[in-house]
Amino acid sequence: MVKESTNDDKRFHSLCTCRGKGSLHEMIKCFEVFVPIVRGNLKLLEQLSHDFVRRQSQQNIVYTEVRYSPHLLAEGGDFSGTQQVDADPVVDAVTRGLRRGETDFGVKVRQMNQS
């Protein structure tokens, strides 16, 4: 059973990892896998934002910029962009995570969210 779990973890990781994809279409397909998992989960979005800054620090990066679509990550958001959603809670959660990461890891972070 452990081996199956490890294989499942590796498969999931490959589905969610955009690095090395041969085309923009292949890269965008990654988002279709993991965005529904995190969408609307503000605590998780805050933690993922903090973890992003940690990973940047581990790579000795002192300044970084992050882009994201708060409307896509908001409760009720979707890839069509036709839903009316309140993106402010997502921006607030991501900002909290990034700021906490700046304090914890000493990396300067700027963000740009795409409407």
Side-chain angles (χ1 to χ4, degrees), residues 3-70:
K3 187 172 187 169
E4 184 177 318
S5 176
T6 300
N7 288 338
D8 288 346
D9 290 347
K10 287 180 183 177
R11 180 164 157 43
F12 182 74
H13 185 267
S14 73
L15 289 171
C16 294
T17 302
C18 298
R19 179 171 286 177
K21 301 295 183 190
S23 70
L24 178 60
H25 178 71
E26 287 295 314
M27 186 186 83
I28 290 172
K29 282 177 29 182
C30 296
F31 289 91
E32 294 172 356
V33 173
F34 71 83
V35 168
I37 296 169
V38 303
R39 181 179 288 131
N41 187 334
L42 300 177
K43 284 183 101 169
L44 180 57
L45 291 169
E46 181 177 342
Q47 185 59 48
L48 290 171
S49 301
H50 181 264
D51 291 347
F52 167 77
V53 182
R54 178 183 45 80
R55 286 190 305 278
Q56 296 296 84
S57 173
Q58 290 169 342
Q59 297 177 61
N60 297 315
I61 293 171
V62 296
Y63 174 84
T64 191
E65 296 177 3
V66 61
R67 288 183 171 205
Y68 60 97
S69 171

Side-chain angles (χ1 to χ4, degrees), residues 83-99:
Q83 300 294 325
Q84 291 290 327
V85 297
D86 182 6
D88 290 341
V90 171
V91 174
D92 293 343
V94 171
T95 300
R96 281 191 307 272
L98 295 175
R99 295 302 162 251

Side-chain angles (χ1 to χ4, degrees), residues 73-113:
L73 296 171
E75 184 70 43
D78 64 14
F79 286 97
S80 72
T82 59
Q83 300 294 325
Q84 291 290 327
V85 297
D86 182 6
D88 290 341
V90 171
V91 174
D92 293 343
V94 171
T95 300
R96 281 191 307 272
L98 295 175
R99 295 302 162 251
R100 195 163 43 94
E102 281 184 319
T103 299
D104 292 350
F105 306 114
V107 176
K108 188 68 172 172
V109 182
R110 292 288 176 252
Q111 63 179 312
M112 176 178 278
N113 45 64

